[in-house]
Amino acid sequence: MSSPSSSSPPAAWLACVLALLACHHAAAAPAMPTTLSTSSRWVVDERGNRVKLACVNWPSHLEPMLAEGLGKQPVGAIAAAVASMGFNCVRLTWPTFLVTNASYGDLTVAESFRRLNLTESLAGITVNNPSFVNLKLIEALKAVVRSLGENGVMVILDNHLSKPGWCCSNTDGNGFFGDTYFDPDVWIQGLKTMADTFAAFPNVVGMSLRNELRGPRQNANDWYKYMQLGAEAVHAANPRVLVILSGLSFDNDLAFLNSRPINLTFTGKAAFEVHWYSFSNSQEWGSGNANQACARVSAGVSRRALYLLDKGWPVILSEFGVDNRGGNANDNRYYGCAAAVAADLDLDWALWALQGSYYLREGVLGLDEVYGVLDWAWCKPRNATALRRVQALQRPLRGPGLAEAAPYAVLFHPVTGMCALRRRGASAAAALELGPCGETEAWEYSAEQQRIAPRDAGGSPLCLRAEGAGRPASLGASCGDTMARWRLVSDSKLHLAVNATSSSSAAGDGGLLCLDVGADGRSVVTNPCRCLSADNSCDPESQWFKMVTSTRSVAAKETMLAQLPLKLNNGKIRSL
């Protein structure tokens, strides 16, 4: 870790660094793999065991060409915070001109910042990372990668664009092969240079060939021609790394591969990536019924990209995220849907984004990044609730090397990132509450009998029951009536309901009672199902539960539930 030039750092600076390092206490991570390959749809390590990529994006592609935040915190503190928050890798972005254009690549950090009049940021770098000031920009990037490696964090180098700047638009000259700044030959040379430069860095485990291809010139024929050439160039220069290929239309479209597979000379080292944000479907999220929007939008993402999983290719959700202030209605609807899909498919992913602020973005100094995991000062998590719920997606559920138990279902609540468990210390016939998914129950669901039951019932015929509107869902021995028959009742397939028409406690939408979260934000109850269709204004997400398949070992009952505080605010993330 670099230290300030002063021998006695300011108390505020020291407090911020300590807060950054203490922002989350994660369990010790397993040893970092140094070589990734593919086994059908899975990313695996040298032994063939599943490696789930749970990454965060850290930009280094804007005009200063330096990883964001080094004017706010020491690089070692940032790298340690990435690891402590549970991310096992960083998608680290870079511009082609960094290694192909001397007028950019020959600059030192100080020269790059001075030419942009970023005097305040340079002063911050001088204090927090003095060893960076006189480094060439490529050496500074190496230092960031090295620091991440020292903290056990893998790196995927992402060629974000050619000319440094903010990405992306259809007309920025960086969108597709042959655009103003996007010479295919220069791009391939840049990929070769970066692959060779970082071949000696064991934590560089992947290279993403190009971010968000787009614009009026885009076409499938050129995609095949140049993306295959780029993949071959990277693999030849560094056969150890995973080669990641993006699609068309801002990395929303890989559908063309369904009829014409990619043709590479190597195997077991290629994967694809897709991006998914709410603003790609803003009208549907903003004006449609949330269940119907989730069904349509997620089906579209599957049709355009995620179908490749069934064809034996890994697909990485390499950008997704939300406004972490919690007030964006479209984001709040989108996140629960996207998290349910990510959990159900056990996707590899990279969250946008780490940075709390920028040196310079689109002409604005010190711009606040509301999608950032960290706050503007890079001192603490911007929203601890939002961070915790994405952490629920960090742990792999299944895949090679993870056959620790026969397949079972997890009752995952996407909007909180928690799972349904028996209440701590309760008897076998017990109420449920939300808790850490690493301590989940092993549930079994019989579609024929419409029964949800715990696998470890000890021979007793226990099943999940609704006891009435507003009352806790429970485990009971009476499993033959309608209050124990559960089915999926909405287009999103995220509402689990019983038909309580014959019950005196039934109310609301046709007598259907859905699993829900109680007013305490913790207990699992049943309430009249809401927002199933038509209604475009209400929010159903507290009632969204996804039955996700896992083969991980189940936590012992004596450690079933840690006492973690949990707040739920109408199914949305809470601002701090």
Side-chain angles (χ1 to χ4, degrees):
M1 178 187 297
S2 300
S3 58
S5 55
S6 168
S7 60
S8 180
W13 174 88
L14 184 57
C16 192
V17 171
L18 292 174
L20 185 64
L21 291 173
C23 62
H24 175 69
H25 296 289
M32 178 182 62
T34 59
T35 300
L36 298 183
S37 301
T38 66
S39 176
S40 183
R41 61 146 292 188
W42 307 106
V43 175
V44 297
D45 63 15
E46 301 93 332
R47 297 173 297 170
N49 292 327
R50 168 88 191 276
V51 175
K52 181 168 183 173
L53 296 172
C55 314
V56 66
N57 282 271
W58 189 357
S60 187
H61 67 270
L62 280 81
E63 286 92 338
M65 293 177 287
L66 181 70
E68 302 292 338
L70 300 186
K72 295 286 199 300
Q73 300 294 339
V75 65
I78 298 173
V82 169
S84 73
M85 290 186 291
F87 299 104
N88 64 5
C89 86
V90 160
R91 183 176 181 251
L92 187 63
T93 68
W94 61 279
T96 304
F97 287 3
L98 174 65
V99 292
T100 63
N101 189 317
S103 65
Y104 292 89
D106 283 351
L107 296 173
T108 65
V109 169
E111 290 167 343
S112 178
F113 277 69
R114 286 176 184 140
R115 74 187 174 92
L116 296 167
N117 295 317
L118 298 175
T119 55
E120 185 175 344
S121 291
L122 181 57
I125 295 167
T126 303
V127 170
N128 288 296
N129 294 283
S131 63
F132 276 71
V133 173
N134 294 314
L135 290 180
K136 290 288 184 69
L137 290 167
I138 189 65
E139 296 301 320
L141 187 64
K142 289 180 183 178
V144 171
V145 171
R146 190 175 297 112
S147 184
L148 288 166
E150 289 168 354
N151 285 276
V153 179
M154 297 176 287
V155 171
I156 294 172
L157 294 172
D158 168 64
N159 178 238
H160 215 68
L161 73 182
S162 297
K163 182 182 179 183
W166 179 246
C167 181
C168 304
S169 81
N170 279 313
T171 58
D172 60 11
N174 286 284
F176 200 70
F177 308 108
D179 280 0
T180 304
Y181 306 114
F182 198 171
D183 182 318
D185 294 332
V186 173
W187 169 71
I188 290 172
Q189 183 56 52
L191 291 175
K192 288 179 180 177
T193 300
M194 287 292 283
D196 183 65
T197 298
F198 286 92
F201 287 73
N203 64 316
V204 174
V205 295
M207 286 188 63
S208 175
L209 299 185
R210 186 70 174 198
N211 182 70
E212 297 196 357
L213 293 164
R214 60 197 179 275
R217 299 178 64 94
Q218 66 178 340
N219 64 88
N221 285 336
D222 281 345
W223 185 94
Y224 283 100
K225 177 181 179 180
Y226 293 117
M227 291 297 272
Q228 289 175 169
L229 287 172
E232 296 286 358
V234 168
H235 184 71
N238 184 358
R240 184 177 55 81
V241 297
L242 195 67
V243 180
I244 304 168
L245 295 83
S246 61
L248 300 173
S249 301
F250 294 86
D251 207 4
N252 284 291
D253 185 10
L254 288 158
F256 51 90
L257 287 162
N258 195 33
S259 57
R260 181 182 170 189
I262 195 167
N263 183 18
L264 300 172
T265 62
F266 58 91
T267 59
K269 300 297 289 189
F272 295 96
E273 62 181 321
V274 64
H275 293 177
W276 185 8
Y277 291 105
S278 71
F279 51 72
S280 299
N281 309 91
S282 56
Q283 185 173 356
E284 292 199 65
W285 292 118
S287 61
N289 171 269
N291 283 295
Q292 294 168 328
C294 179
R296 286 193 299 267
V297 173
S298 60
V301 176
S302 294
R303 184 175 61 253
R304 293 189 302 272
L306 298 179
Y307 75 94
L308 288 166
L309 296 168
D310 291 332
K311 290 183 174 290
W313 292 98
V315 181
I316 302 166
L317 182 60
S318 61
E319 283 190 27
F320 77 112
V322 297
D323 181 338
N324 283 315
R325 295 172 298 181
N328 185 310
N330 284 6
D331 277 358
N332 291 331
R333 287 180 160 204
Y334 142 89
Y335 182 82
C337 181
V341 171
D344 183 40
L345 297 175
D346 203 7
L347 291 176
D348 301 287
W349 50 265
L351 182 71
W352 188 273
L354 176 66
Q355 69 276 10
S357 56
Y358 299 87
Y359 308 117
L360 177 70
R361 175 179 152 182
E362 298 175 290
V364 179
L365 299 176
L367 181 71
D368 189 30
E369 175 53 271
V370 298
Y371 278 53
V373 171
L374 298 176
D375 68 350
W376 182 88
W378 295 63
C379 190
K380 64 180 186 300
R382 181 178 295 267
N383 187 316
T385 303
L387 174 60
R388 186 177 63 217
R389 70 179 188 175
V390 80
Q391 287 169 337
L393 301 175
Q394 292 172 339
R395 183 175 184 260
L397 295 169
R398 59 189 189 276
L402 296 177
E404 300 167 353
Y408 60 88
V410 174
L411 278 177
F412 176 60
H413 191 247
V415 74
T416 60
M418 307 294 267
C419 289
L421 315 172
R422 272 178 272 190
R423 185 172 295 164
R424 186 181 185 184
S427 61
L432 304 183
E433 59 186 357
L434 295 179
C437 291
E439 300 171 9
T440 185
E441 302 285 332
W443 300 98
E444 291 182 337
Y445 178 64
S446 168
E448 180 180 356
Q449 297 178 332
Q450 297 182 331
R451 180 181 299 170
I452 301 174
R455 176 183 292 173
D456 62 345
S460 301
L462 295 180
C463 60
L464 183 63
R465 291 184 51 80
E467 302 295 347
R471 298 180 63 185
S474 67
L475 290 176
S478 178
C479 301
D481 62 2
T482 59
M483 301 296 274
R485 294 176 187 162
W486 299 90
R487 57 192 177 93
L488 298 170
V489 295
S490 63
D491 288 354
S492 67
K493 307 297 184 187
L494 295 173
H495 279 89
L496 279 165
V498 299
N499 187 345
T501 302
S502 61
S503 169
S504 60
S505 62
D509 199 341
L512 293 176
L513 293 177
C514 280
L515 284 185
D516 202 345
V517 179
D520 60 359
R522 189 179 196 83
S523 58
V524 177
V525 303
T526 54
N527 278 317
C529 300
R530 61 179 184 271
C531 322
L532 296 186
S533 62
D535 190 339
N536 299 342
S537 60
C538 71
D539 181 1
E541 287 192 88
S542 72
Q543 294 188 341
W544 279 3
F545 285 82
K546 184 67 178 179
M547 286 193 290
V548 176
T549 301
S550 178
T551 59
R552 300 298 303 269
S553 59
V554 182
K557 284 292 174 286
E558 59 267 24
T559 60
M560 184 169 294
L561 185 63
Q563 293 297 312
L564 295 178
L566 178 65
K567 297 272 181 88
L568 185 69
N569 180 18
N570 297 323
K572 300 179 177 63
I573 56 177
R574 294 170 61 91
S575 299
L576 297 181

